[in-house]
Amino acid sequence: MTTTSSTRRVRTGRITFFVALAVFAQESTWNLYDSQVPPLLREHIGSAALIGLLMGMDNVLGIFIQPWMGNRSDRTRTSWGRRMPYLLVGMPVAALLFLVIPHVAGTLPLLILVMFGYALVANSFKPIAESLLPDFVPPERRSRANAVVKIAASLTVLVAALISIFLIDTHPKLSFAIPAILMVVSLAVLAANVRDSRSPAYRSAVEEEREQAAPAARVRDTVLDIVRDRNRSRLLLIVSILLFGGAWAASRALITPYGMEVLGMSRGEAGGLTLPSGAAFIVAAYPVARLAERFGRLRVMAAGMTVFAAGMVLATVVATPAGVVAGLCVASAGASSFLVNAVVVLWNLAPSDHVVGTYTGLYTVGWVGGGFLGPALVGGLVDLTGWSLLLLHVAVVALLAVLAVVRVSVLQRRSSAGRAL
């Protein structure tokens, strides 16, 4: 019994590392994109709302692509498994498109076209990489495993901030090349070590198909099941993901111009505002996962989201570089509770591991939908009230997300499923 348990921990730890590596590869480009593409757009466009719309518009593709790709991977059967073939094709193409961005920045139509291409490809494999984790890791260990994955993602925030501070003002093209290279190298390591055809979820899906002689459910069937369910937990959870994703995206996509407009910082200095908050996220992520397993994921999520909003208020009140950095650190520590646990709750609400890729896609639909609407909405409010209130508007959106999570918690307490969340 002891040997089996030890072997399971080793295998879980190994796959968690490789999933973290895959997410690191993706986020290494996304974070610099969020930080430094808005200033490129600002050279052509004066409206904060339009910049926010364009920064979110590329992600609206994910609303349509991500659940379909997640479902497509659920239905794929190869010797590599159902996830890896898509990563092997998509990640190098996304790296190439990202590399091209600063080379076309002088022409707005060409810049928007490359942004569109990058978003199309990068969004297509985002839910696939994340679905590797529930394929291999059992439900009771998913929070702590996902915490490791999110820590890897937060490390890319530090990478993007360091690039912004030390390179973006003097070597903008090299700055975009570094994350692209990191993506390709990470993919090479992942490809050499992971065959998801060996995962428990893959084998279970194949066995289920043999017994039932039926393929995985279509996206439409899965969505209708969620919408028609009298217990609105899954639907409300996706709404909370949309709202908090909007708050998070607005705080990231608009923070560089905020630093330039309100704090009088240079582009590179403003891009580095998120550096300490990345460290705060790293410190908080794993303890938050353990707290969630002890006290309940939904309860910890709601508390952390409230802390996020408080951090935004703090940064608004103390509108100095130090005050904003402190507020962002508080906010990131609080946000870790949602980023670590929300997708785990959704996975655990899924009726079967057979559709885990589809559920990951639905999670990213909510998150990307927020990425589309949040910056545009908050940017529009900034146009009305001024840049100084940017972070206060973010706090309001976050508090709406808190209300949705609290309602899910109430619904789950009324059902036996609540004990598993």
Side-chain angles (χ1 to χ4, degrees):
M1 180 70 71
T2 303
T3 302
T4 301
S5 177
S6 176
T7 302
R8 184 177 301 163
R9 283 196 298 270
V10 171
R11 289 176 179 173
T12 298
R14 185 173 184 271
I15 195 60
T16 299
F17 170 78
F18 289 122
V19 173
L21 191 63
V23 172
F24 177 87
Q26 297 175 62
E27 296 298 324
S28 62
T29 57
W30 274 120
N31 277 292
L32 192 68
Y33 181 93
D34 288 339
S35 160
Q36 294 303 331
V37 171
L40 297 179
L41 292 171
R42 193 165 174 265
E43 293 177 3
H44 304 279
I45 301 169
S47 168
L50 187 53
I51 292 173
L53 182 65
L54 286 171
M55 287 302 296
M57 184 65 73
D58 52 38
N59 289 329
V60 77
L61 295 169
I63 295 174
F64 303 99
I65 293 170
Q66 293 193 29
W68 183 81
M69 288 297 294
N71 183 260
R72 182 69 183 173
S73 70
D74 281 339
R75 300 160 69 93
T76 297
R77 304 290 179 260
T78 73
S79 59
W80 281 82
R82 55 184 179 175
R83 319 291 185 199
M84 284 302 299
Y86 297 99
L87 299 178
L88 293 171
V89 174
M91 291 173 74
V93 175
L96 178 61
L97 288 167
F98 183 79
L99 181 65
V100 171
I101 288 175
H103 295 272
V104 300
T107 305
L108 182 60
L110 200 54
L111 174 59
I112 294 173
L113 180 64
V114 175
M115 289 169 60
F116 177 89
Y118 168 75
L120 178 67
V121 177
N123 276 313
S124 69
F125 63 81
K126 183 176 175 63
I128 293 172
E130 294 175 358
S131 295
L132 285 169
L133 191 145
D135 280 351
F136 284 92
V137 180
E140 64 273 11
R141 294 186 63 87
R142 286 175 181 171
S143 279
R144 64 185 74 182
N146 199 42
V148 174
V149 172
K150 295 304 182 182
I151 287 171
S154 70
L155 287 173
T156 66
V157 176
L158 302 183
V159 170
L162 289 171
I163 290 173
S164 293
I165 292 170
F166 294 110
L167 288 176
I168 198 72
D169 290 330
T170 54
H171 299 92
K173 294 178 181 177
L174 175 62
S175 299
F176 279 76
I178 291 172
I181 293 170
L182 287 174
M183 178 178 281
V184 173
V185 172
S186 298
L187 175 62
V189 176
L190 187 69
N193 290 277
V194 176
R195 299 290 187 277
D196 65 285
S197 58
R198 302 169 185 168
S199 73
Y202 182 89
R203 293 175 179 176
S204 174
V206 171
E207 184 62 30
E208 187 176 335
E209 287 173 2
R210 286 197 191 118
E211 293 176 356
Q212 298 181 1
R218 297 173 300 171
V219 176
R220 179 175 178 273
D221 297 331
T222 302
V223 171
L224 287 176
D225 176 56
I226 292 172
V227 171
R228 292 171 177 172
D229 189 0
R230 292 184 178 180
N231 184 321
R232 299 295 184 183
S233 294
R234 291 177 291 175
L235 185 60
L236 282 170
L237 183 61
I238 293 171
V239 169
S240 75
I241 292 164
L242 174 74
L243 291 168
F244 196 75
W248 178 263
S251 72
R252 295 288 160 173
L254 300 176
I255 193 65
T256 299
Y258 171 85
M260 297 167 70
E261 294 289 341
V262 177
L263 305 178
M265 306 174 80
S266 74
R267 176 182 163 188
E269 291 170 340
L273 282 170
T274 58
L275 178 59
S277 66
F281 184 98
I282 291 172
V283 171
Y286 197 78
V288 159
R290 298 303 298 267
L291 287 172
E293 291 176 357
R294 180 175 179 181
F295 297 107
R297 294 183 176 96
L298 292 169
R299 184 179 299 174
V300 171
M301 283 166 58
M305 294 157 72
T306 304
V307 170
F308 172 86
M312 294 292 108
V313 173
L314 172 63
T316 303
V317 173
V318 188
T320 64
V324 170
V325 166
L328 290 176
C329 286
V330 172
S332 288
S336 67
S337 69
F338 189 90
L339 295 173
V340 165
N341 291 296
V343 70
V344 176
V345 174
L346 195 58
W347 285 332
N348 292 351
L349 286 172
S352 166
D353 283 341
H354 205 123
V355 294
V356 71
T358 308
Y359 269 64
T360 306
L362 293 175
Y363 169 82
T364 50
V365 162
W367 192 256
V368 170
F372 167 60
L373 295 173
L377 172 63
V378 173
L381 293 172
V382 166
D383 285 343
L384 293 173
T385 64
W387 280 100
S388 62
L389 295 181
L390 166 71
L391 300 178
L392 186 61
H393 298 318
V394 171
V396 172
V397 177
L399 289 174
L400 293 176
V402 172
L403 295 177
V405 169
V406 169
R407 180 58 182 167
V408 174
S409 182
V410 170
L411 290 174
Q412 287 301 304
R413 281 200 299 270
R414 294 174 181 173
S415 69
S416 59
R419 292 194 295 270
L421 303 179

